[in-house]
């Protein structure tokens, strides 16, 4: 069939497009290309049948796998020292897919308290509707993990450092308990990234990420990841991910894989800037206390030094002036931005009591450490002196 004999509609769709992959005359593209397509064409019925029989032999449909996703997944597995990885549409897509995979036969979960709010809601509201219960413990104390394990416990679910109080879990101790009791240990490594800590090296089974944050780094995408043993990843890929459908788009996979190329550089700078700004704030008269794992007054500073390679860009502080001082601070910033999320190149600040946690009753907020003067800062990649100066001018313009 020549192009000329085809109708306009057919020409508009097919003209100029390669029917084979041998049209490549320019060598290997230096940037992995975006395969922004939902499906893949086969030359013959036999080739198509083979791809269905053996998925490793070819791509069929992007919900099942796509070359751009796979470039990202190979990078993720290497960075987290895992056997294999899956990219997902969001951090919550990764959390839910990992939990559904590890809890395929039902069972009970032991999780740390103060989890990321949507994860807490999955464990506290969604899974109980399907008969899966969770016991929440203070996992900074390994004996509390041990005590909460039941005969039907299948999963130990952790975060470290936690949001927003930056508490740490002893990864090796937690992994040893999970191994001894036959549990799948899962950790959300969003705050630390593989440049801050590699949980799989300490014996944790599965790592999940919100790549919306440091991993992609520019605030341009919502994305997630799961890293672990090949068997677990294949089971997640062919089961919960494919069927529930939290699949990453090729474009978001491509943006994220570019973000990852600068993660080590960015994370080092985020961490250095955070230490600089935390030290500045600690000495400021308007500030009651500052938390960052690099500071010697962090209650788990020794553990941080033992298991972390860099301490990250998240700092939390308490203002002496309480809620009014917190609201004044976020209202008077000239450089930093009032925004949720974290891990962006830009410095982002939030005041939980007036925003993310405003619907939580005051007594529960206090009990869980979300005090009225608490401010969380995701330190960006600006010059540290400029970030400190912006915070300083906003703090100093406050009069009670
Ligand atoms: C943001 C975040 C999530 C959720 O990720 P999304 O990409 O928004 O779905 C999960 N865990 C942690 C620790 C997060 O910060």
């Amino acid at each position: 069939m020549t192009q000329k004999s085809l109708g306009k509609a057919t020409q508009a769709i097919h003209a100029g497009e390669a029917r084979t992959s041998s049209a490549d005359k320019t060598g290997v593209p230096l940037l992995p290309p975006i395969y922004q397509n939902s499906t893949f064409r086969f030359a013959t019925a036999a080739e198509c049948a083979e791809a269905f029989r053996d998925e490793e032999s070819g791509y069929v449909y992007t919900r099942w796998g796509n070359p751009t996703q796979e470039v990202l997944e190979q990078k993720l597995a290497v960075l987290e020292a895992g056997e294999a990885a899956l990219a997902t549409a969001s951090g919550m897509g990764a959390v839910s897919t990992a939990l559904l995979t590890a809890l395929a036969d039902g069972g009970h979960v032991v999780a740390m308290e103060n989890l990321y709010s949507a994860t807490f809601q999955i464990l506290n509201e969604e899974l109980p509707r399907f008969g899966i219960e969770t016991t929440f413990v203070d996992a900074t104390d390994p004996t509390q993990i041990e005590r909460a394990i039941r005969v039907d416990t299948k999963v130990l679910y952790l975060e470290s450092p936690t949001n927003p109080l930056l508490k740490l879990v002893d990864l090796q101790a937690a992994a040893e308990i999970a191994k001894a009791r036959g549990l799948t240990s899962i950790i959300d490594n969003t705050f630390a990234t593989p440049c801050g800590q590699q949980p799989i090296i300490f014996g944790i089974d599965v790592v999940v990420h919100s790549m919306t944050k440091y991993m992609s780094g520019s605030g341009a995408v919502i994305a997630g990841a799961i890293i672990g043993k090949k068997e677990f990843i294949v089971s997640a890929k062919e089961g919960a991910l494919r069927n529930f459908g939290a699949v990453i788009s090729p474009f978001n996979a491509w943006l994220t894989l570019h973000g990852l190329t600068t993660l080590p550089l960015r994370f080092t700078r985020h961490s250095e800037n955070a230490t600089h700004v935390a030290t500045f704030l600690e000495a400021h008269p308007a500030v009651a206390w500052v938390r960052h794992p690099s500071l010697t007054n962090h209650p788990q500073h020794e553990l941080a030094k033992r298991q972390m390679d860099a301490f990250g860009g998240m700092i939390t502080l308490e203002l002496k002036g309480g809620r009014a001082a917190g609201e004044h601070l976020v209202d008077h910033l000239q450089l930093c931005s009032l925004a949720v999320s974290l891990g962006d190149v830009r410095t982002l600040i939030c005041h939980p009591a007036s925003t993310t946690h405003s619907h939580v009753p005051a007594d529960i907020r206090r009990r869980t450490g979300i005090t009225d003067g608490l401010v969380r800062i995701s330190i960006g990649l600006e010059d540290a002196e400029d970030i400190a100066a912006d915070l300083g001018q906003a703090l100093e313009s406050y009069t009670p």
Side-chain angles (χ1 to χ4, degrees):
M1 242 190 299
T2 62
Q3 297 278 351
K4 281 216 179 85
S5 67
L6 299 172
K8 277 254 155 42
T10 309
Q11 282 177 338
I13 295 167
H14 293 280
E17 295 195 6
R19 292 189 65 87
T20 65
S21 57
S22 60
D24 184 359
K25 292 179 197 149
T26 50
V28 179
L30 191 58
L31 269 59
I34 314 173
Y35 284 82
Q36 187 68 36
N37 54 294
S38 57
T39 196
F40 297 82
R41 178 170 27 228
F42 293 95
T44 63
E47 198 181 277
C48 188
E50 177 56 21
F52 269 81
R53 195 165 40 242
D54 170 18
E55 290 188 14
E56 307 276 307
S57 77
Y59 301 100
V60 176
Y61 185 58
T62 287
R63 181 155 50 75
W64 294 22
N66 170 292
T68 312
Q69 290 166 1
E70 283 184 12
V71 176
L72 172 58
E73 289 167 351
Q74 282 161 19
K75 214 185 275 293
L76 287 166
V78 171
L79 285 170
E80 278 289 11
E83 286 178 12
L86 268 186
T88 60
S90 65
M92 292 323 299
V95 172
S96 56
T97 300
L99 284 170
L100 288 168
T101 304
L103 295 162
D105 303 317
H108 168 254
V109 179
V110 173
M112 81 185 289
E113 50 190 23
N114 286 327
L115 290 173
Y116 182 75
S117 64
T119 304
F120 175 73
Q121 263 153 259
I122 288 183
L123 294 169
N124 196 50
E125 287 168 32
E126 306 291 351
L127 292 181
R129 296 191 284 114
F130 303 94
I132 294 167
E133 287 176 17
T134 295
T135 303
F136 294 95
V137 300
D138 176 2
T140 60
D141 171 9
T143 62
Q144 290 211 24
I145 299 175
E146 188 91 58
R147 272 205 298 277
I149 297 172
R150 312 193 315 210
V151 285
D152 60 340
T153 305
K154 292 279 164 52
V155 167
L156 172 62
Y157 191 93
L158 305 166
E159 286 179 14
S160 181
T162 62
N163 175 31
L165 293 171
L166 307 175
K167 293 182 185 172
L168 307 183
V169 175
D170 184 329
L171 300 180
Q172 188 165 353
E176 276 168 14
I177 294 169
K179 280 228 157 42
R181 305 292 291 267
L183 317 184
T184 302
S185 50
I186 304 177
I187 189 167
D188 183 331
N189 205 28
T190 300
F191 272 44
T193 83
C195 296
Q197 68 197 11
Q198 290 174 297
I200 290 172
I201 304 262
F202 292 96
I204 298 288
D205 297 309
V206 179
V207 171
V208 294
H209 276 284
S210 168
M211 299 203 293
T212 308
K213 318 293 169 54
Y214 288 108
M215 300 288 266
S216 64
S218 60
V221 295
I222 298 282
I226 310 172
I227 302 99
K229 290 241 156 55
K230 180 115 203 259
E231 191 187 348
F232 186 87
I233 296 301
V234 169
S235 157
K237 180 174 180 168
E238 295 180 359
L241 184 68
R242 178 176 300 179
N243 296 329
F244 288 98
V247 173
I248 192 168
S249 77
F251 184 53
N252 283 355
W254 185 81
L255 286 170
T256 305
L257 75 88
H258 283 303
L260 281 176
T261 59
T262 56
L263 176 67
L265 271 176
R266 286 186 289 106
F267 203 73
T268 301
R269 179 67 181 263
H270 279 297
S271 300
E272 289 167 2
N273 277 3
T275 300
H276 180 102
V277 176
T279 307
F280 164 80
L281 290 169
E282 227 180 2
H284 199 282
V287 175
W289 51 258
V290 182
R291 187 127 302 163
H292 186 255
S294 73
L295 301 180
T296 50
N297 72 0
H298 188 291
Q300 296 164 293
H301 178 63
E302 290 306 315
L303 175 62
K305 282 200 294 192
R306 202 159 70 232
Q307 70 184 20
M308 299 186 81
D309 303 317
F311 301 120
M314 301 304 296
I315 66 180
T316 301
L317 60 139
E318 174 74 17
L319 295 173
K320 287 182 184 159
R323 184 177 182 130
E327 287 177 9
H328 177 92
L329 172 65
V330 298
D331 278 349
H332 289 80
L333 299 165
Q334 292 166 2
L335 184 73
C336 307
S337 302
L338 170 59
V340 295
S341 199
L342 59 109
D344 199 283
V345 294
R346 297 158 190 83
T347 295
L348 308 180
I349 301 199
C350 70
H351 176 232
S354 68
T355 56
T356 49
H357 290 66
S358 57
H359 59 284
V360 179
D363 58 321
I364 296 182
R365 275 208 310 266
R366 255 189 299 280
R367 188 149 48 76
T368 52
I370 312 297
T371 44
D372 287 350
L374 194 82
V375 174
R376 188 190 84 172
I377 312 181
S378 169
I379 300 293
L381 299 180
E382 302 94 340
D383 291 285
E385 295 76 13
D386 293 334
I387 303 169
D390 189 36
L391 294 166
Q393 64 78 25
L395 289 172
E396 280 139 34
S397 65
Y398 176 67
T399 42

